Amino acid sequence: MKNKPALSLYWKCQIIGWSAAAFYWMLVSFESPRFIWFLAVLYFIGDLLIYIPLTHLYRNISLRYGWQKLEPRKLLVRIVPAVMVLGFAFLVLTWSKNYLLRYWFEPGFSESFGHNFQDHRLGIFMAGIRLMAIWVLAYYGYHYAQREVNAIKESSRLAIIAKDAEFNNLAAQLNPHFFFNSLNSIKALMIENPRAARRAIDLLSDLIRTSLYSRDTVFISLKEEMALVGDYLELENIRFEERLKTSVEMDDRLSGKLVLPLSVQTLVENAIKHGIAQRKEGGLIKIRIGEENGKLVVSVENPGTLSDEATKGLGLKNLRERLSLQFGEKASFRIVQKNSENVSATFHIPLI
């Protein structure tokens, strides 16, 4: 069996709204000494049979000419006279209904047609103006709100698309940057130590394979990222030998948490490039990963002095933008001169 279509929101509002108005008028008339239940029920039914078709007719005219799509100023020029016309129609229909029902069903009613109209026309007309103005404003208010909601949704959708495009562009920039730096390391080994260069090529192949497989992935686990960092450090260790020493402190409970690909590696690469490589004696790279105030904290410390070149390089600039795009104000990054001998780069991201 086919399911019957559910009553639309428009029809629900029409039925409920006019039923509430008709019921209110019934309660008001209940205080009258001439109140008759049978006549009150007929008034209630008559109100629904008159006002719902009247407002529905107006809705169809509005849809036909696209008034609900107009800007407020152009719409106002149309709805002011429309409310006047609806108010006049309300007057004619309401007075006709009331007079005929009283004439047919109210005992002892003998007021003349013209006299009755003269007594009630102004009050009914003003009531019609108020009711129709409320109905029209509610109708266009709903359409205006829907347009705003749809506009916000579309704006959000476009913002997400732009954000993803920018994020992918940053990732596309980051991979060549990483690869070229690695190739430079291998080039330095080709003459001095061919055997070490071959091992470096094997490591770089693994790094490239891992990077290519995860390039469409927004997040990877901290365990995977640290495995990548380990391969990279081994690659650089072939180049720097005893000059490069490393220390890793990480809470094992955090290994399943997610980070941006190449985020920790970027800090390590920057520490080696602007710290170890600049010092004849080399030094120690300290990697610390922990949790603080519900956030993942990654810190990489290297010997050296902070310089503009170290803070404004492509790798760190790229990382800052990726953190901002993905986490907004929930992420932070800073690189500082920790003391006279060491520089520390740290980022905080939400635990996920």
Side-chain angles (χ1 to χ4, degrees), residues 167 210-229 254-265 296 322 326-327 349 352:
F167 192 88
T210 302
S211 178
L212 288 176
Y213 285 154
S214 62
R215 66 179 301 166
D216 295 327
T217 303
V218 177
F219 297 108
I220 63 173
S221 70
L222 187 56
K223 181 179 180 180
E224 293 173 305
E225 175 72 5
M226 291 309 294
L228 182 72
V229 169
L254 300 174
S255 60
K257 299 301 180 181
L258 301 181
V259 294
L260 296 177
L262 300 178
S263 55
V264 181
Q265 187 276 337
L296 181 70
R322 292 167 70 215
Q326 191 62 51
F327 301 107
I349 60 172
I352 50 177

PDB file of all heavy atoms in Angstrom, residues 167 210-229 254-265 296 322 326-327 349 352:
ATOM      1  N   PHE A 167      42.546  23.677   2.142  1.00  0.00           N
ATOM      2  CA  PHE A 167      43.256  22.673   2.937  1.00  0.00           C
ATOM      3  C   PHE A 167      44.001  21.703   2.024  1.00  0.00           C
ATOM      4  O   PHE A 167      45.164  21.367   2.254  1.00  0.00           O
ATOM      5  CB  PHE A 167      42.256  21.920   3.812  1.00  0.00           C
ATOM      6  CG  PHE A 167      42.905  21.075   4.873  1.00  0.00           C
ATOM      7  CD1 PHE A 167      43.207  21.624   6.108  1.00  0.00           C
ATOM      8  CD2 PHE A 167      43.205  19.747   4.644  1.00  0.00           C
ATOM      9  CE1 PHE A 167      43.807  20.854   7.095  1.00  0.00           C
ATOM     10  CE2 PHE A 167      43.806  18.975   5.621  1.00  0.00           C
ATOM     11  CZ  PHE A 167      44.101  19.536   6.851  1.00  0.00           C
ATOM     12  N   THR A 210      53.852   6.266   2.190  1.00  0.00           N
ATOM     13  CA  THR A 210      52.943   6.598   3.297  1.00  0.00           C
ATOM     14  C   THR A 210      52.236   7.921   3.051  1.00  0.00           C
ATOM     15  O   THR A 210      51.029   8.060   3.272  1.00  0.00           O
ATOM     16  CB  THR A 210      53.726   6.677   4.626  1.00  0.00           C
ATOM     17  OG1 THR A 210      54.376   5.435   4.858  1.00  0.00           O
ATOM     18  CG2 THR A 210      52.784   6.989   5.775  1.00  0.00           C
ATOM     19  N   SER A 211      52.979   8.897   2.567  1.00  0.00           N
ATOM     20  CA  SER A 211      52.393  10.216   2.326  1.00  0.00           C
ATOM     21  C   SER A 211      51.348  10.175   1.224  1.00  0.00           C
ATOM     22  O   SER A 211      50.285  10.780   1.341  1.00  0.00           O
ATOM     23  CB  SER A 211      53.504  11.203   1.961  1.00  0.00           C
ATOM     24  OG  SER A 211      52.964  12.468   1.683  1.00  0.00           O
ATOM     25  N   LEU A 212      51.638   9.449   0.143  1.00  0.00           N
ATOM     26  CA  LEU A 212      50.686   9.379  -0.968  1.00  0.00           C
ATOM     27  C   LEU A 212      49.408   8.663  -0.564  1.00  0.00           C
ATOM     28  O   LEU A 212      48.308   9.043  -0.962  1.00  0.00           O
ATOM     29  CB  LEU A 212      51.330   8.678  -2.166  1.00  0.00           C
ATOM     30  CG  LEU A 212      52.414   9.480  -2.902  1.00  0.00           C
ATOM     31  CD1 LEU A 212      53.034   8.640  -4.007  1.00  0.00           C
ATOM     32  CD2 LEU A 212      51.821  10.757  -3.484  1.00  0.00           C
ATOM     33  N   TYR A 213      49.527   7.617   0.224  1.00  0.00           N
ATOM     34  CA  TYR A 213      48.351   6.873   0.639  1.00  0.00           C
ATOM     35  C   TYR A 213      47.467   7.668   1.580  1.00  0.00           C
ATOM     36  O   TYR A 213      46.264   7.445   1.672  1.00  0.00           O
ATOM     37  CB  TYR A 213      48.752   5.555   1.309  1.00  0.00           C
ATOM     38  CG  TYR A 213      49.235   4.499   0.333  1.00  0.00           C
ATOM     39  CD1 TYR A 213      50.109   3.494   0.742  1.00  0.00           C
ATOM     40  CD2 TYR A 213      48.828   4.513  -0.993  1.00  0.00           C
ATOM     41  CE1 TYR A 213      50.561   2.527  -0.146  1.00  0.00           C
ATOM     42  CE2 TYR A 213      49.282   3.560  -1.889  1.00  0.00           C
ATOM     43  CZ  TYR A 213      50.147   2.563  -1.459  1.00  0.00           C
ATOM     44  OH  TYR A 213      50.584   1.619  -2.348  1.00  0.00           O
ATOM     45  N   SER A 214      48.071   8.606   2.299  1.00  0.00           N
ATOM     46  CA  SER A 214      47.298   9.358   3.300  1.00  0.00           C
ATOM     47  C   SER A 214      47.014  10.796   2.877  1.00  0.00           C
ATOM     48  O   SER A 214      46.513  11.582   3.672  1.00  0.00           O
ATOM     49  CB  SER A 214      48.042   9.374   4.639  1.00  0.00           C
ATOM     50  OG  SER A 214      49.280  10.036   4.505  1.00  0.00           O
ATOM     51  N   ARG A 215      47.290  11.146   1.597  1.00  0.00           N
ATOM     52  CA  ARG A 215      47.146  12.545   1.193  1.00  0.00           C
ATOM     53  C   ARG A 215      45.690  13.001   1.178  1.00  0.00           C
ATOM     54  O   ARG A 215      45.405  14.182   1.312  1.00  0.00           O
ATOM     55  CB  ARG A 215      47.792  12.786  -0.171  1.00  0.00           C
ATOM     56  CG  ARG A 215      47.138  12.092  -1.324  1.00  0.00           C
ATOM     57  CD  ARG A 215      47.847  12.433  -2.636  1.00  0.00           C
ATOM     58  NE  ARG A 215      47.828  13.870  -2.868  1.00  0.00           N
ATOM     59  CZ  ARG A 215      48.585  14.469  -3.757  1.00  0.00           C
ATOM     60  NH1 ARG A 215      49.430  13.766  -4.496  1.00  0.00           N
ATOM     61  NH2 ARG A 215      48.505  15.778  -3.925  1.00  0.00           N
ATOM     62  N   ASP A 216      44.746  12.064   0.994  1.00  0.00           N
ATOM     63  CA  ASP A 216      43.325  12.419   1.002  1.00  0.00           C
ATOM     64  C   ASP A 216      42.706  12.247   2.381  1.00  0.00           C
ATOM     65  O   ASP A 216      41.497  12.371   2.540  1.00  0.00           O
ATOM     66  CB  ASP A 216      42.560  11.566  -0.021  1.00  0.00           C
ATOM     67  CG  ASP A 216      42.990  11.855  -1.457  1.00  0.00           C
ATOM     68  OD1 ASP A 216      43.327  13.020  -1.730  1.00  0.00           O
ATOM     69  OD2 ASP A 216      42.994  10.928  -2.281  1.00  0.00           O
ATOM     70  N   THR A 217      43.541  11.915   3.363  1.00  0.00           N
ATOM     71  CA  THR A 217      43.051  11.701   4.716  1.00  0.00           C
ATOM     72  C   THR A 217      43.252  12.970   5.542  1.00  0.00           C
ATOM     73  O   THR A 217      44.359  13.511   5.592  1.00  0.00           O
ATOM     74  CB  THR A 217      43.808  10.536   5.386  1.00  0.00           C
ATOM     75  OG1 THR A 217      43.654   9.366   4.578  1.00  0.00           O
ATOM     76  CG2 THR A 217      43.250  10.266   6.770  1.00  0.00           C
ATOM     77  N   VAL A 218      42.174  13.433   6.158  1.00  0.00           N
ATOM     78  CA  VAL A 218      42.277  14.661   6.953  1.00  0.00           C
ATOM     79  C   VAL A 218      43.090  14.420   8.218  1.00  0.00           C
ATOM     80  O   VAL A 218      43.911  15.251   8.607  1.00  0.00           O
ATOM     81  CB  VAL A 218      40.880  15.186   7.307  1.00  0.00           C
ATOM     82  CG1 VAL A 218      40.985  16.429   8.195  1.00  0.00           C
ATOM     83  CG2 VAL A 218      40.094  15.513   6.045  1.00  0.00           C
ATOM     84  N   PHE A 219      42.869  13.272   8.875  1.00  0.00           N
ATOM     85  CA  PHE A 219      43.572  12.958  10.105  1.00  0.00           C
ATOM     86  C   PHE A 219      44.237  11.583   9.996  1.00  0.00           C
ATOM     87  O   PHE A 219      43.766  10.709   9.262  1.00  0.00           O
ATOM     88  CB  PHE A 219      42.605  12.922  11.300  1.00  0.00           C
ATOM     89  CG  PHE A 219      41.947  14.233  11.597  1.00  0.00           C
ATOM     90  CD1 PHE A 219      40.607  14.428  11.316  1.00  0.00           C
ATOM     91  CD2 PHE A 219      42.660  15.275  12.162  1.00  0.00           C
ATOM     92  CE1 PHE A 219      39.985  15.626  11.588  1.00  0.00           C
ATOM     93  CE2 PHE A 219      42.061  16.485  12.438  1.00  0.00           C
ATOM     94  CZ  PHE A 219      40.715  16.656  12.153  1.00  0.00           C
ATOM     95  N   ILE A 220      45.313  11.423  10.748  1.00  0.00           N
ATOM     96  CA  ILE A 220      45.891  10.104  10.957  1.00  0.00           C
ATOM     97  C   ILE A 220      46.136   9.954  12.455  1.00  0.00           C
ATOM     98  O   ILE A 220      46.159  10.947  13.196  1.00  0.00           O
ATOM     99  CB  ILE A 220      47.201   9.889  10.173  1.00  0.00           C
ATOM    100  CG1 ILE A 220      48.285  10.872  10.644  1.00  0.00           C
ATOM    101  CG2 ILE A 220      46.966  10.016   8.681  1.00  0.00           C
ATOM    102  CD1 ILE A 220      49.656  10.593  10.022  1.00  0.00           C
ATOM    103  N   SER A 221      46.328   8.714  12.886  1.00  0.00           N
ATOM    104  CA  SER A 221      46.565   8.501  14.312  1.00  0.00           C
ATOM    105  C   SER A 221      47.956   9.004  14.688  1.00  0.00           C
ATOM    106  O   SER A 221      48.870   9.077  13.856  1.00  0.00           O
ATOM    107  CB  SER A 221      46.426   7.013  14.664  1.00  0.00           C
ATOM    108  OG  SER A 221      47.505   6.280  14.110  1.00  0.00           O
ATOM    109  N   LEU A 222      48.103   9.358  15.952  1.00  0.00           N
ATOM    110  CA  LEU A 222      49.400   9.824  16.446  1.00  0.00           C
ATOM    111  C   LEU A 222      50.452   8.721  16.290  1.00  0.00           C
ATOM    112  O   LEU A 222      51.627   9.005  16.003  1.00  0.00           O
ATOM    113  CB  LEU A 222      49.264  10.238  17.912  1.00  0.00           C
ATOM    114  CG  LEU A 222      50.473  10.908  18.556  1.00  0.00           C
ATOM    115  CD1 LEU A 222      50.899  12.142  17.777  1.00  0.00           C
ATOM    116  CD2 LEU A 222      50.159  11.272  20.004  1.00  0.00           C
ATOM    117  N   LYS A 223      50.024   7.481  16.425  1.00  0.00           N
ATOM    118  CA  LYS A 223      50.950   6.355  16.251  1.00  0.00           C
ATOM    119  C   LYS A 223      51.511   6.336  14.835  1.00  0.00           C
ATOM    120  O   LYS A 223      52.719   6.150  14.630  1.00  0.00           O
ATOM    121  CB  LYS A 223      50.224   5.049  16.558  1.00  0.00           C
ATOM    122  CG  LYS A 223      51.096   3.815  16.444  1.00  0.00           C
ATOM    123  CD  LYS A 223      50.301   2.564  16.776  1.00  0.00           C
ATOM    124  CE  LYS A 223      51.171   1.306  16.657  1.00  0.00           C
ATOM    125  NZ  LYS A 223      50.400   0.075  16.981  1.00  0.00           N
ATOM    126  N   GLU A 224      50.637   6.538  13.833  1.00  0.00           N
ATOM    127  CA  GLU A 224      51.092   6.563  12.436  1.00  0.00           C
ATOM    128  C   GLU A 224      52.001   7.756  12.174  1.00  0.00           C
ATOM    129  O   GLU A 224      53.008   7.639  11.462  1.00  0.00           O
ATOM    130  CB  GLU A 224      49.875   6.612  11.503  1.00  0.00           C
ATOM    131  CG  GLU A 224      49.031   5.355  11.514  1.00  0.00           C
ATOM    132  CD  GLU A 224      47.759   5.519  10.704  1.00  0.00           C
ATOM    133  OE1 GLU A 224      46.999   6.470  10.987  1.00  0.00           O
ATOM    134  OE2 GLU A 224      47.527   4.710   9.790  1.00  0.00           O
ATOM    135  N   GLU A 225      51.627   8.910  12.727  1.00  0.00           N
ATOM    136  CA  GLU A 225      52.440  10.113  12.537  1.00  0.00           C
ATOM    137  C   GLU A 225      53.832   9.930  13.147  1.00  0.00           C
ATOM    138  O   GLU A 225      54.837  10.321  12.536  1.00  0.00           O
ATOM    139  CB  GLU A 225      51.743  11.322  13.162  1.00  0.00           C
ATOM    140  CG  GLU A 225      52.544  12.611  13.144  1.00  0.00           C
ATOM    141  CD  GLU A 225      52.678  13.238  11.764  1.00  0.00           C
ATOM    142  OE1 GLU A 225      52.059  12.714  10.816  1.00  0.00           O
ATOM    143  OE2 GLU A 225      53.414  14.232  11.625  1.00  0.00           O
ATOM    144  N   MET A 226      53.900   9.306  14.320  1.00  0.00           N
ATOM    145  CA  MET A 226      55.191   9.120  14.969  1.00  0.00           C
ATOM    146  C   MET A 226      56.027   8.068  14.246  1.00  0.00           C
ATOM    147  O   MET A 226      57.264   8.127  14.270  1.00  0.00           O
ATOM    148  CB  MET A 226      54.990   8.745  16.441  1.00  0.00           C
ATOM    149  CG  MET A 226      54.426   9.884  17.287  1.00  0.00           C
ATOM    150  SD  MET A 226      55.353  11.436  17.094  1.00  0.00           S
ATOM    151  CE  MET A 226      56.938  10.970  17.798  1.00  0.00           C
ATOM    152  N   ALA A 227      55.378   7.101  13.589  1.00  0.00           N
ATOM    153  CA  ALA A 227      56.121   6.144  12.762  1.00  0.00           C
ATOM    154  C   ALA A 227      56.766   6.872  11.584  1.00  0.00           C
ATOM    155  O   ALA A 227      57.913   6.601  11.207  1.00  0.00           O
ATOM    156  CB  ALA A 227      55.188   5.041  12.269  1.00  0.00           C
ATOM    157  N   LEU A 228      56.027   7.819  11.001  1.00  0.00           N
ATOM    158  CA  LEU A 228      56.558   8.644   9.914  1.00  0.00           C
ATOM    159  C   LEU A 228      57.719   9.495  10.413  1.00  0.00           C
ATOM    160  O   LEU A 228      58.763   9.616   9.741  1.00  0.00           O
ATOM    161  CB  LEU A 228      55.451   9.529   9.353  1.00  0.00           C
ATOM    162  CG  LEU A 228      55.799  10.435   8.178  1.00  0.00           C
ATOM    163  CD1 LEU A 228      55.992   9.618   6.911  1.00  0.00           C
ATOM    164  CD2 LEU A 228      54.694  11.468   7.954  1.00  0.00           C
ATOM    165  N   VAL A 229      57.550  10.079  11.598  1.00  0.00           N
ATOM    166  CA  VAL A 229      58.624  10.884  12.194  1.00  0.00           C
ATOM    167  C   VAL A 229      59.863  10.026  12.448  1.00  0.00           C
ATOM    168  O   VAL A 229      60.996  10.459  12.208  1.00  0.00           O
ATOM    169  CB  VAL A 229      58.141  11.537  13.511  1.00  0.00           C
ATOM    170  CG1 VAL A 229      59.317  12.155  14.277  1.00  0.00           C
ATOM    171  CG2 VAL A 229      57.088  12.595  13.226  1.00  0.00           C
ATOM    172  N   LEU A 254      47.934   8.097  24.362  1.00  0.00           N
ATOM    173  CA  LEU A 254      47.533   9.058  23.328  1.00  0.00           C
ATOM    174  C   LEU A 254      47.798   8.551  21.916  1.00  0.00           C
ATOM    175  O   LEU A 254      47.498   9.257  20.941  1.00  0.00           O
ATOM    176  CB  LEU A 254      48.270  10.381  23.527  1.00  0.00           C
ATOM    177  CG  LEU A 254      48.038  11.097  24.863  1.00  0.00           C
ATOM    178  CD1 LEU A 254      48.945  12.314  24.960  1.00  0.00           C
ATOM    179  CD2 LEU A 254      46.578  11.509  25.005  1.00  0.00           C
ATOM    180  N   SER A 255      48.346   7.363  21.789  1.00  0.00           N
ATOM    181  CA  SER A 255      48.765   6.885  20.463  1.00  0.00           C
ATOM    182  C   SER A 255      47.604   6.762  19.479  1.00  0.00           C
ATOM    183  O   SER A 255      47.794   6.850  18.268  1.00  0.00           O
ATOM    184  CB  SER A 255      49.477   5.534  20.586  1.00  0.00           C
ATOM    185  OG  SER A 255      48.598   4.560  21.160  1.00  0.00           O
ATOM    186  N   GLY A 256      46.388   6.561  19.979  1.00  0.00           N
ATOM    187  CA  GLY A 256      45.232   6.432  19.095  1.00  0.00           C
ATOM    188  C   GLY A 256      44.573   7.761  18.756  1.00  0.00           C
ATOM    189  O   GLY A 256      43.649   7.802  17.929  1.00  0.00           O
ATOM    190  N   LYS A 257      45.018   8.854  19.374  1.00  0.00           N
ATOM    191  CA  LYS A 257      44.440  10.168  19.090  1.00  0.00           C
ATOM    192  C   LYS A 257      44.832  10.623  17.688  1.00  0.00           C
ATOM    193  O   LYS A 257      45.855  10.198  17.146  1.00  0.00           O
ATOM    194  CB  LYS A 257      44.891  11.193  20.127  1.00  0.00           C
ATOM    195  CG  LYS A 257      44.475  10.844  21.556  1.00  0.00           C
ATOM    196  CD  LYS A 257      42.966  10.722  21.682  1.00  0.00           C
ATOM    197  CE  LYS A 257      42.550  10.366  23.094  1.00  0.00           C
ATOM    198  NZ  LYS A 257      41.074  10.229  23.214  1.00  0.00           N
ATOM    199  N   LEU A 258      44.005  11.499  17.126  1.00  0.00           N
ATOM    200  CA  LEU A 258      44.203  11.907  15.738  1.00  0.00           C
ATOM    201  C   LEU A 258      44.910  13.249  15.635  1.00  0.00           C
ATOM    202  O   LEU A 258      44.667  14.165  16.435  1.00  0.00           O
ATOM    203  CB  LEU A 258      42.850  11.987  15.020  1.00  0.00           C
ATOM    204  CG  LEU A 258      42.026  10.688  14.979  1.00  0.00           C
ATOM    205  CD1 LEU A 258      40.730  10.905  14.220  1.00  0.00           C
ATOM    206  CD2 LEU A 258      42.830   9.552  14.351  1.00  0.00           C
ATOM    207  N   VAL A 259      45.768  13.365  14.618  1.00  0.00           N
ATOM    208  CA  VAL A 259      46.479  14.608  14.322  1.00  0.00           C
ATOM    209  C   VAL A 259      46.455  14.833  12.816  1.00  0.00           C
ATOM    210  O   VAL A 259      46.113  13.933  12.042  1.00  0.00           O
ATOM    211  CB  VAL A 259      47.946  14.565  14.813  1.00  0.00           C
ATOM    212  CG1 VAL A 259      48.013  14.488  16.319  1.00  0.00           C
ATOM    213  CG2 VAL A 259      48.691  13.392  14.174  1.00  0.00           C
ATOM    214  N   LEU A 260      46.830  16.026  12.399  1.00  0.00           N
ATOM    215  CA  LEU A 260      46.955  16.308  10.968  1.00  0.00           C
ATOM    216  C   LEU A 260      48.191  15.597  10.421  1.00  0.00           C
ATOM    217  O   LEU A 260      49.239  15.593  11.077  1.00  0.00           O
ATOM    218  CB  LEU A 260      47.090  17.810  10.731  1.00  0.00           C
ATOM    219  CG  LEU A 260      45.900  18.679  11.136  1.00  0.00           C
ATOM    220  CD1 LEU A 260      46.244  20.145  10.907  1.00  0.00           C
ATOM    221  CD2 LEU A 260      44.656  18.307  10.370  1.00  0.00           C
ATOM    222  N   PRO A 261      48.110  14.995   9.256  1.00  0.00           N
ATOM    223  CA  PRO A 261      49.294  14.349   8.673  1.00  0.00           C
ATOM    224  C   PRO A 261      50.458  15.334   8.532  1.00  0.00           C
ATOM    225  O   PRO A 261      50.278  16.489   8.155  1.00  0.00           O
ATOM    226  CB  PRO A 261      48.800  13.891   7.292  1.00  0.00           C
ATOM    227  CG  PRO A 261      47.315  13.771   7.426  1.00  0.00           C
ATOM    228  CD  PRO A 261      46.913  14.843   8.399  1.00  0.00           C
ATOM    229  N   LEU A 262      51.656  14.871   8.849  1.00  0.00           N
ATOM    230  CA  LEU A 262      52.893  15.657   8.743  1.00  0.00           C
ATOM    231  C   LEU A 262      52.932  16.857   9.686  1.00  0.00           C
ATOM    232  O   LEU A 262      53.757  17.751   9.508  1.00  0.00           O
ATOM    233  CB  LEU A 262      53.117  16.139   7.299  1.00  0.00           C
ATOM    234  CG  LEU A 262      53.260  15.052   6.230  1.00  0.00           C
ATOM    235  CD1 LEU A 262      53.424  15.698   4.859  1.00  0.00           C
ATOM    236  CD2 LEU A 262      54.441  14.147   6.524  1.00  0.00           C
ATOM    237  N   SER A 263      52.094  16.871  10.713  1.00  0.00           N
ATOM    238  CA  SER A 263      52.114  17.999  11.641  1.00  0.00           C
ATOM    239  C   SER A 263      53.304  17.914  12.601  1.00  0.00           C
ATOM    240  O   SER A 263      54.054  18.900  12.759  1.00  0.00           O
ATOM    241  CB  SER A 263      50.804  18.075  12.422  1.00  0.00           C
ATOM    242  OG  SER A 263      50.520  16.849  13.082  1.00  0.00           O
ATOM    243  N   VAL A 264      53.501  16.759  13.229  1.00  0.00           N
ATOM    244  CA  VAL A 264      54.660  16.604  14.118  1.00  0.00           C
ATOM    245  C   VAL A 264      55.940  16.598  13.289  1.00  0.00           C
ATOM    246  O   VAL A 264      56.950  17.213  13.664  1.00  0.00           O
ATOM    247  CB  VAL A 264      54.533  15.302  14.939  1.00  0.00           C
ATOM    248  CG1 VAL A 264      55.730  15.170  15.887  1.00  0.00           C
ATOM    249  CG2 VAL A 264      53.226  15.272  15.722  1.00  0.00           C
ATOM    250  N   GLN A 265      55.887  15.948  12.139  1.00  0.00           N
ATOM    251  CA  GLN A 265      57.054  15.871  11.263  1.00  0.00           C
ATOM    252  C   GLN A 265      57.522  17.262  10.837  1.00  0.00           C
ATOM    253  O   GLN A 265      58.721  17.519  10.726  1.00  0.00           O
ATOM    254  CB  GLN A 265      56.720  15.010  10.037  1.00  0.00           C
ATOM    255  CG  GLN A 265      57.900  14.716   9.136  1.00  0.00           C
ATOM    256  CD  GLN A 265      58.177  15.824   8.138  1.00  0.00           C
ATOM    257  OE1 GLN A 265      57.280  16.608   7.813  1.00  0.00           O
ATOM    258  NE2 GLN A 265      59.420  15.898   7.674  1.00  0.00           N
ATOM    259  N   LEU A 296      45.511  17.945  23.131  1.00  0.00           N
ATOM    260  CA  LEU A 296      46.764  17.272  22.802  1.00  0.00           C
ATOM    261  C   LEU A 296      47.832  18.345  22.624  1.00  0.00           C
ATOM    262  O   LEU A 296      47.640  19.312  21.877  1.00  0.00           O
ATOM    263  CB  LEU A 296      46.604  16.463  21.513  1.00  0.00           C
ATOM    264  CG  LEU A 296      47.839  15.674  21.055  1.00  0.00           C
ATOM    265  CD1 LEU A 296      48.101  14.515  22.014  1.00  0.00           C
ATOM    266  CD2 LEU A 296      47.646  15.165  19.627  1.00  0.00           C
ATOM    267  N   ARG A 322      46.864  25.211   8.290  1.00  0.00           N
ATOM    268  CA  ARG A 322      46.123  23.946   8.373  1.00  0.00           C
ATOM    269  C   ARG A 322      45.435  23.800   9.730  1.00  0.00           C
ATOM    270  O   ARG A 322      44.289  23.357   9.819  1.00  0.00           O
ATOM    271  CB  ARG A 322      47.059  22.766   8.119  1.00  0.00           C
ATOM    272  CG  ARG A 322      47.581  22.695   6.687  1.00  0.00           C
ATOM    273  CD  ARG A 322      48.741  21.715   6.574  1.00  0.00           C
ATOM    274  NE  ARG A 322      48.292  20.336   6.747  1.00  0.00           N
ATOM    275  CZ  ARG A 322      49.011  19.395   7.345  1.00  0.00           C
ATOM    276  NH1 ARG A 322      50.200  19.685   7.853  1.00  0.00           N
ATOM    277  NH2 ARG A 322      48.549  18.174   7.444  1.00  0.00           N
ATOM    278  N   GLN A 326      41.340  23.734  10.144  1.00  0.00           N
ATOM    279  CA  GLN A 326      40.693  22.536  10.676  1.00  0.00           C
ATOM    280  C   GLN A 326      40.052  22.757  12.047  1.00  0.00           C
ATOM    281  O   GLN A 326      38.971  22.249  12.320  1.00  0.00           O
ATOM    282  CB  GLN A 326      41.718  21.398  10.770  1.00  0.00           C
ATOM    283  CG  GLN A 326      41.095  20.047  11.058  1.00  0.00           C
ATOM    284  CD  GLN A 326      40.145  19.626   9.963  1.00  0.00           C
ATOM    285  OE1 GLN A 326      40.492  19.652   8.787  1.00  0.00           O
ATOM    286  NE2 GLN A 326      38.933  19.243  10.324  1.00  0.00           N
ATOM    287  N   PHE A 327      40.702  23.529  12.905  1.00  0.00           N
ATOM    288  CA  PHE A 327      40.228  23.653  14.282  1.00  0.00           C
ATOM    289  C   PHE A 327      39.794  25.061  14.683  1.00  0.00           C
ATOM    290  O   PHE A 327      39.202  25.233  15.740  1.00  0.00           O
ATOM    291  CB  PHE A 327      41.320  23.189  15.255  1.00  0.00           C
ATOM    292  CG  PHE A 327      41.760  21.762  15.053  1.00  0.00           C
ATOM    293  CD1 PHE A 327      42.992  21.475  14.500  1.00  0.00           C
ATOM    294  CD2 PHE A 327      40.933  20.712  15.406  1.00  0.00           C
ATOM    295  CE1 PHE A 327      43.412  20.166  14.318  1.00  0.00           C
ATOM    296  CE2 PHE A 327      41.332  19.396  15.221  1.00  0.00           C
ATOM    297  CZ  PHE A 327      42.581  19.117  14.676  1.00  0.00           C
ATOM    298  N   ILE A 349      45.914  21.071  20.084  1.00  0.00           N
ATOM    299  CA  ILE A 349      44.713  20.783  19.305  1.00  0.00           C
ATOM    300  C   ILE A 349      43.726  19.994  20.171  1.00  0.00           C
ATOM    301  O   ILE A 349      44.142  19.346  21.156  1.00  0.00           O
ATOM    302  CB  ILE A 349      45.019  19.983  18.014  1.00  0.00           C
ATOM    303  CG1 ILE A 349      45.674  18.639  18.361  1.00  0.00           C
ATOM    304  CG2 ILE A 349      45.871  20.776  17.064  1.00  0.00           C
ATOM    305  CD1 ILE A 349      45.836  17.711  17.170  1.00  0.00           C
ATOM    306  N   ILE A 352      40.878  14.214  19.736  1.00  0.00           N
ATOM    307  CA  ILE A 352      39.889  13.521  18.903  1.00  0.00           C
ATOM    308  C   ILE A 352      40.387  12.109  18.587  1.00  0.00           C
ATOM    309  O   ILE A 352      41.543  11.822  18.688  1.00  0.00           O
ATOM    310  CB  ILE A 352      39.597  14.278  17.584  1.00  0.00           C
ATOM    311  CG1 ILE A 352      40.895  14.644  16.871  1.00  0.00           C
ATOM    312  CG2 ILE A 352      38.758  15.495  17.827  1.00  0.00           C
ATOM    313  CD1 ILE A 352      40.671  15.328  15.539  1.00  0.00           C
TER     314      ILE A 352
END
